[in-house]
Amino acid sequence: MEPLGFPERPATRGPVTSGRASFGVSLAPSPAASFSAALTHEDTRAAMATIRKLRGRWQAAVRRKGMQPRSKSFDSKSDAERWARSLEAELDRNGALPDMRPAESMTLAQLLTRYRDEVSPTKRSAVTEVARINGILRRPICHRTMTLLSTADLAAYRDERLKAVAPATVIRELNTISHAVDTARREWGIHIATNPCKLVRRPSPPKGRTRRLEGNEEQILLAAADAGRVRYLRPLIELAVETGMRRSELLSLRWEHIDLDRRVAHLPLTKNGSSRDVPLSTRAVDTLRSLRIGESATVFTAAPNAVRLAWERLRRRVGLEDLHLHDLRHEAVSRLFEKGFNVVEVASISGHRELRMLQRYTHLRAADLADRLR
């Protein structure tokens, strides 16, 4: 009985061919094989990323000769690939693998807390910035680690906050987060590839207020201040209207910086970081003379929050709840223009460094301008 199998092929003359070739498979090296062979001759500096399944998760590893390998596990393969690509891109740009572990373990809350404790106290606006950061720390976004914090997270935070606060408040909060991230990248050695805050669209800022005192509103305010228990409100209102000073400038005004004979008040440090001299009108000088009682070094001894609360009670009593204390500065600057002062003169009195900002505060009454045209 003949054994099972293929019959022997008769010997033939001519070139010997492979049995695989008889089935139509070429022995020429494939393009993939050529590419693999070429890779073995690549520069050993090239980074290699591998993705593998390990104990139910996806592990990405990036290696380069002469450098410590970096690896991290993810729940999804796409996240592992994304992390590996970003690390390889950073490696190509800088020639070294950055240490991502501080950013991977640090949350936005930890970053903002350090910024609040180390950076905010060095600013003149420390009190308001600390309060702002404390408010941000109560938001869910602060649980995000810095490597996972995305523009989508910040955009969702922006939209949610706009339901409760004004656009200007949201802009300040986003700017605070952005500066904290920049500080961590530049000074704290926290590697964050990009600052996501810089890519998030800010809400449109509100238009400048145009509220001015109308009719006898000034007399109503002064009469209500006289009838109230807060004795410093009337002189505070009079000086705000006569000098155009900000609330912080009025509350920091010291007697040693006031020359009533020359009718000049000196402000050593203002909001924009410079000093300025404010000319005093006759009414302002009389108001200051009436306050020269006791041994206090400052003209007003009240705290900023106490002034804010006293003003809010006053405007509720007289029914002018849409009037802000800062609107008195608008009124003062506008009156200077109506008296014929030019832009440079008004800027030297009010302390505005940008004419664009000065135009915001300058709301001239058309009727008053018409009188000057006669």
Side-chain angles (χ1 to χ4, degrees):
M1 186 173 180
E2 198 172 338
L4 294 175
F6 294 103
E8 290 186 4
R9 296 174 66 91
T12 58
R13 297 189 179 188
V16 179
T17 58
S18 168
R20 285 185 297 174
S22 65
F23 285 91
V25 180
S26 173
L27 290 178
S30 66
S34 300
F35 180 69
S36 299
L39 282 179
T40 62
H41 300 290
E42 281 288 322
D43 189 345
T44 56
R45 291 178 303 171
M48 290 186 62
T50 58
I51 310 292
R52 64 171 179 165
K53 195 78 173 286
L54 182 65
R55 291 190 289 273
R57 302 189 74 195
W58 290 94
Q59 185 190 68
V62 178
R63 297 177 176 83
R64 171 174 281 190
K65 186 175 180 179
M67 297 181 184
Q68 182 181 2
R70 294 290 307 280
S71 62
K72 188 177 180 183
S73 297
F74 299 86
D75 292 328
S76 66
K77 185 178 180 180
S78 60
D79 289 341
E81 292 173 341
R82 187 181 307 112
W83 179 83
R85 284 196 302 269
S86 66
L87 214 58
E88 287 178 319
E90 188 72 23
L91 191 55
D92 291 338
R93 284 195 299 268
N94 300 329
L97 285 175
D99 188 358
M100 302 288 293
R101 287 169 294 183
E104 290 170 356
S105 61
M106 175 178 279
T107 63
L108 180 60
Q110 293 170 325
L111 184 143
L112 288 175
T113 299
R114 180 176 176 181
Y115 182 86
R116 178 197 64 190
D117 296 341
E118 296 183 11
V119 179
S120 296
T122 64
K123 302 181 180 181
R124 289 191 293 113
S125 58
V127 174
T128 56
E129 184 168 270
V130 167
R132 184 182 310 126
I133 292 175
N134 289 337
I136 298 173
L137 289 174
R138 294 192 290 267
R139 307 295 167 187
I141 192 175
C142 288
H143 296 292
R144 281 285 194 186
T145 61
M146 297 313 300
T147 52
L148 295 179
L149 184 66
S150 65
T151 55
D153 295 326
L154 291 162
Y157 171 83
R158 174 201 63 200
D159 297 340
E160 186 65 26
R161 290 291 286 151
L162 283 173
K163 299 176 183 177
V165 297
T169 301
V170 178
I171 292 173
R172 284 191 288 268
E173 290 178 356
L174 290 175
N175 289 343
T176 298
I177 296 173
S178 180
H179 191 257
V181 173
D182 280 342
T183 301
R185 296 176 69 201
R186 290 194 303 261
E187 301 180 12
W188 299 345
I190 308 298
H191 179 80
I192 304 169
T194 58
N195 185 346
C197 291
K198 294 186 180 298
L199 304 177
V200 176
R201 177 181 54 82
R202 303 298 194 263
S204 300
K207 295 181 179 179
R209 287 177 58 83
T210 59
R211 181 69 163 90
R212 289 189 59 184
L213 294 173
E214 301 291 342
N216 63 341
E217 287 180 345
E218 183 178 351
Q219 287 69 35
I220 292 174
L221 285 171
L222 295 177
D226 287 337
R229 292 177 297 178
V230 183
R231 308 313 304 171
Y232 61 78
L233 263 185
R234 180 187 177 97
L236 185 73
I237 294 171
E238 289 178 336
L239 288 176
V241 172
E242 290 298 317
T243 64
M245 292 186 191
R246 304 176 179 91
R247 182 188 66 177
S248 60
E249 295 168 350
L250 287 169
L251 296 183
S252 63
L253 194 59
R254 302 178 66 86
W255 288 114
E256 61 184 293
H257 297 145
I258 299 174
D259 189 337
L260 294 179
D261 296 329
R262 294 177 53 240
R263 294 172 49 172
V264 174
H266 177 67
L267 300 174
L269 186 64
T270 62
K271 178 182 177 182
N272 55 31
S274 60
S275 63
R276 78 173 189 273
D277 292 330
V278 180
L280 301 174
S281 65
T282 301
R283 184 186 180 191
V285 170
D286 293 340
T287 301
L288 287 169
R289 290 187 190 280
S290 68
L291 291 172
R292 194 70 183 264
I293 301 174
E295 301 297 328
S296 174
T298 58
V299 176
F300 297 100
T301 58
N305 192 55
V307 173
R308 179 182 65 83
L309 295 174
W311 172 262
E312 290 179 355
R313 290 192 295 267
L314 175 66
R315 68 180 187 178
R316 280 198 301 269
R317 288 204 309 269
V318 298
L320 297 176
E321 296 195 25
D322 64 328
L323 184 66
H324 298 176
L325 182 60
H326 195 74
D327 292 336
L328 302 183
R329 176 169 163 85
H330 291 242
E331 180 69 23
V333 173
S334 298
R335 288 184 181 183
L336 290 174
F337 276 99
E338 290 168 351
K339 290 177 180 178
F341 286 86
N342 60 41
V343 173
V344 176
E345 292 169 336
V346 172
S348 66
I349 297 173
S350 65
H352 289 96
R353 301 181 69 177
E354 297 182 14
L355 296 183
R356 176 181 59 85
M357 294 298 297
L358 189 59
Q359 291 169 356
R360 256 191 65 200
Y361 284 85
T362 308
H363 308 298
L364 308 182
R365 293 187 181 93
D368 295 330
L369 295 178
D371 291 338
R372 293 173 58 187
L373 293 174
R374 293 178 180 176

